[in-house]
Amino acid sequence: MSILNNSKDIEPSITAVATEAAPDNKTRRYDRQLRLWAASGQNALESSRILVISGTATSTSILKNLVLPGIGHFTILDPSKVTPEDAGNNFFLEGPSSIGKSRAEEGVRLLGELNDGVEGKADLRSLEEVLAKDKEWLSEFTIVIAHNLEAGVLDQLATLLWEDESSPPLVVVRSAGFLAEFYIQYHEHAVIESHPETAQSLQIDKPFPALLDYAVSLDFENMDVTDHGHVPYVIILVRLLEEWKKTHNGLSPSTYAEKQEFKKTILTMRKKSDEENFEEAEAQAYRAWTSSSVPSEIRELFQDPQVLSLSPSSPPFFYLVHALKKFTEEQPSHTLPLTSALPDMKASTDTYIELQKMYKARADEEKEIFKSYLQIPWRRTWGKKWGTLDADPKALASAIETAPKQLATHLALTALSSFASKQQPSAPLTPTLEALTAEAQTLLPPGTDLPDEFGDSVGEIVRAPTADLPNTAALLGGLVAQEVIKMITKQYIPINGSCIVDLIETWTGIL
């Protein structure tokens, strides 16, 4: 039968949780997510400090999905008192009994009940006061999340955080009724523990000495039938490929006919017709002729000018990539360092563990070389300042052709924000269809028509310009929190652009 790693001596795969004793309360609580981002990702979460500006229903929904997985600290910055409208749409308020109390304090108190390991704090200052008197305070946070800020104040905040690359990323969230969008402002996002979609290389085409020696040493002909049916497919492929090369000038199968012949040879090695390990070997035969090489995205990274021209002021990441480049160039296999993680396969416990030990020993050897070069695999993405798209009329006009529905919602929300910034602070927000259409039109080049879908989007904005609906808040809470976790753990690539949400037609898209 197929077996999983049950040896305490073997390094588990990056998505496994290994403990020598019974798991503690923390491990049990976070078991599911530890399988996604491992202990290192969890440590990053628990070290994070999140600032959320405004204690709206959307803001608390986002925080709910960050408090549950165990962020270290959150602060809600909000001077407002709870209104009847807040009490009617925010699940993290206690209905009428919360009315008149601090919205930030009520939110912190009730969110804190979700996870006693998370520290929460309410700050009753306004963002304007912070920007005027205490800008440095913002740098204490890992990430800043802002919901439905007034356009002028949002622009000040975005500019301040963009000017200093060491400042935290900014997540801008805007919603009205059943429409919403969010955007992450960041300079650079480095993924240092990626989760590639492609299967890990077992280097069957370039077996390390211990693996090759073991495969060649097995006596398949005289092996017990039970043992024969539990030899891991990795060993079968390494053995057969070595024998193949002896009769084919040291070359792997290359033509279709050769590959088919290689597969048939695998099946002729069976002693019984139902030996699943040989069926696995046939299914995985492509690994024998697929060259183990450096992925194209890593090779592209090697050519980055900052990798090719290091200086004392170069960030550590570029030294790490440069070292990885040297490893792949100077080591005989010319591949990335071997991983000790193995997929599940048909094997007995003893043979599977023996195989793991070989891979782990080799991975440890390469890890030492790895350390001497200081290499680490990583990926980078670059973001843009909030407002960059709206400041580029040509880009907006281009989006009419490529993403009209997403652009229509974005323009409607931007028009509302612009309209609101021109109102008196205490005046009710009652935009008209004509006023918002005029605001949106000013963003486009002269003579450019608004997308056809704009009418539907702006109609919803006029209907519910200030509605923070629970269902919209709930969906945004999950979407935004997911992207925030990507930013914190540095294991996944976040969105790059505005994520548009339309719950009238139930779709999302990226602009």
Side-chain angles (χ1 to χ4, degrees):
M1 63 179 178
S2 295
I3 57 96
L4 299 174
N5 177 13
N6 61 355
S7 170
K8 293 183 288 186
D9 298 324
I10 306 302
E11 179 176 323
S13 65
I14 58 173
T15 57
V17 181
T19 54
E20 295 191 4
D24 56 21
N25 289 334
K26 179 177 171 182
T27 300
R28 286 196 296 269
R29 173 184 292 179
Y30 298 133
D31 176 70
R32 295 282 183 174
Q33 63 203 48
L34 283 168
R35 298 173 187 272
L36 285 175
W37 50 69
S40 57
Q42 189 63 34
N43 288 337
L45 275 181
E46 293 175 8
S47 300
S48 66
R49 295 176 56 84
I50 312 298
L51 173 62
V52 175
I53 302 172
S54 82
T56 61
T58 294
S59 295
T60 53
S61 290
I62 294 169
L63 276 173
K64 177 202 72 173
N65 292 290
L66 294 172
V67 168
L68 286 172
I71 56 173
H73 170 95
F74 71 90
T75 293
I76 297 179
L77 179 69
D78 190 347
S80 303
K81 301 292 185 181
V82 176
T83 65
E85 290 77 13
D86 292 325
N89 65 15
N90 192 332
F91 289 122
F92 290 94
L93 295 173
E94 290 186 323
S97 65
S98 290
I99 295 174
K101 298 179 182 179
S102 163
R103 191 163 66 170
E105 290 177 345
E106 286 291 275
V108 168
R109 178 175 65 84
L110 294 168
L111 284 164
E113 294 179 359
L114 297 177
N115 191 338
D116 57 11
V118 177
E119 178 186 57
K121 180 181 178 182
D123 192 313
L124 306 187
R125 294 178 295 173
S126 67
L127 178 58
E128 291 86 346
E129 181 182 350
V130 171
L131 292 175
K133 302 178 180 179
D134 196 9
K135 296 178 181 178
E136 296 76 14
W137 177 69
L138 296 171
S139 64
E140 297 178 7
F141 296 93
T142 307
I143 198 162
V144 177
I145 303 170
H147 177 234
N148 278 0
L149 289 188
E150 187 272 322
V153 178
L154 175 58
D155 185 63
Q156 290 181 50
L157 176 65
T159 300
L160 174 66
L161 297 180
W162 184 258
E163 288 175 345
D164 186 349
E165 292 191 19
S166 65
S167 294
L170 171 65
V171 182
V172 178
V173 186
R174 303 194 300 190
S175 65
F178 289 110
L179 301 181
E181 74 170 327
F182 67 92
Y183 181 95
I184 308 176
Q185 172 182 289
Y186 62 95
H187 282 278
E188 180 178 297
H189 180 70
V191 179
I192 59 176
E193 292 184 64
S194 63
H195 297 264
E197 295 181 1
T198 54
Q200 67 266 41
S201 172
L202 299 173
Q203 296 188 11
I204 289 173
D205 63 314
K206 299 177 181 178
F208 50 91
L211 179 63
L212 179 60
D213 291 345
Y214 180 78
V216 172
S217 69
L218 294 181
D219 186 356
F220 282 86
E221 290 294 329
N222 299 312
M223 191 178 294
D224 176 84
V225 174
T226 301
D227 293 339
H228 193 269
H230 289 85
V231 177
Y233 76 76
V234 173
I235 300 299
I236 297 172
L237 291 177
V238 170
R239 169 67 170 268
L240 186 55
L241 181 60
E242 181 65 14
E243 294 179 354
W244 173 279
K245 288 180 177 179
K246 290 178 180 178
T247 58
H248 291 80
N249 299 318
L251 301 176
S252 302
S254 57
T255 66
Y256 177 78
E258 288 179 340
K259 293 173 182 178
Q260 292 303 110
E261 180 184 352
F262 186 85
K263 287 185 174 182
K264 289 179 181 178
T265 305
I266 295 173
L267 296 181
T268 61
M269 294 176 65
R270 294 181 297 183
K271 288 189 174 184
K272 295 170 60 179
S273 61
D274 61 348
E275 289 183 318
E276 295 180 18
N277 55 329
F278 285 91
E279 294 175 3
E280 279 187 340
E282 182 196 24
Q284 298 292 326
Y286 70 92
R287 293 178 180 270
W289 55 73
T290 301
S291 177
S292 298
S293 58
V294 179
S296 58
E297 63 269 22
I298 302 296
R299 291 199 305 271
E300 181 180 347
L301 193 57
F302 289 163
Q303 302 308 313
D304 190 296
Q306 296 194 66
V307 174
L308 300 175
S309 56
L310 293 175
S311 68
S313 60
S314 295
F317 276 131
F318 294 111
Y319 278 96
L320 298 172
V321 177
H322 181 265
L324 181 58
K325 180 174 182 290
K326 290 182 64 178
F327 180 97
T328 60
E329 292 173 346
E330 297 180 9
Q331 292 304 302
S333 65
H334 300 296
T335 62
L336 296 177
L338 184 70
T339 174
S340 62
L342 291 178
D344 189 21
M345 63 188 71
K346 179 74 175 182
S348 66
T349 301
D350 290 342
T351 55
Y352 190 81
I353 291 176
E354 182 66 26
L355 184 63
Q356 281 190 313
K357 286 181 177 179
M358 284 188 283
Y359 269 85
K360 185 177 187 303
R362 180 62 180 180
D364 287 343
E365 291 174 11
E366 295 195 0
K367 187 182 295 184
E368 292 306 310
I369 304 172
F370 183 89
K371 290 178 180 178
S372 71
Y373 285 117
L374 296 177
Q375 66 281 96
I376 182 169
W378 69 302
R379 300 171 68 182
R380 292 180 299 164
T381 57
W382 288 268
K384 295 180 180 179
K385 180 181 179 295
W386 164 255
T388 300
L389 178 61
D390 291 337
D392 188 347
K394 290 184 178 179
L396 290 171
S398 177
I400 295 176
E401 300 296 328
T402 59
K405 293 175 69 174
Q406 293 92 319
L407 181 65
T409 299
H410 172 78
L411 289 175
L413 288 167
T414 300
L416 175 65
S417 181
S418 178
F419 177 86
S421 68
K422 299 173 183 178
Q423 298 284 100
Q424 293 295 325
S426 58
L429 188 60
T430 55
T432 63
L433 185 67
E434 294 74 18
L436 294 188
T437 301
E439 291 286 354
Q441 193 68 64
T442 62
L443 297 169
L444 299 175
T448 303
D449 293 331
L450 291 163
D452 294 339
E453 295 82 355
F454 181 77
D456 293 335
S457 297
V458 76
E460 172 63 7
I461 300 297
V462 170
R463 183 191 73 83
T466 60
D468 192 12
L469 302 180
N471 43 0
T472 306
L475 179 63
L476 278 175
L479 292 175
V480 175
Q482 172 181 270
E483 299 304 313
V484 169
I485 288 172
K486 291 178 184 179
M487 298 297 295
I488 294 171
T489 61
K490 298 187 182 299
Q491 296 183 12
Y492 300 90
I493 298 177
I495 61 165
N496 195 351
S498 289
C499 179
I500 310 297
V501 178
D502 184 330
L503 288 184
I504 300 173
E505 297 184 356
T506 62
W507 58 263
T508 62
I510 300 296
L511 178 63

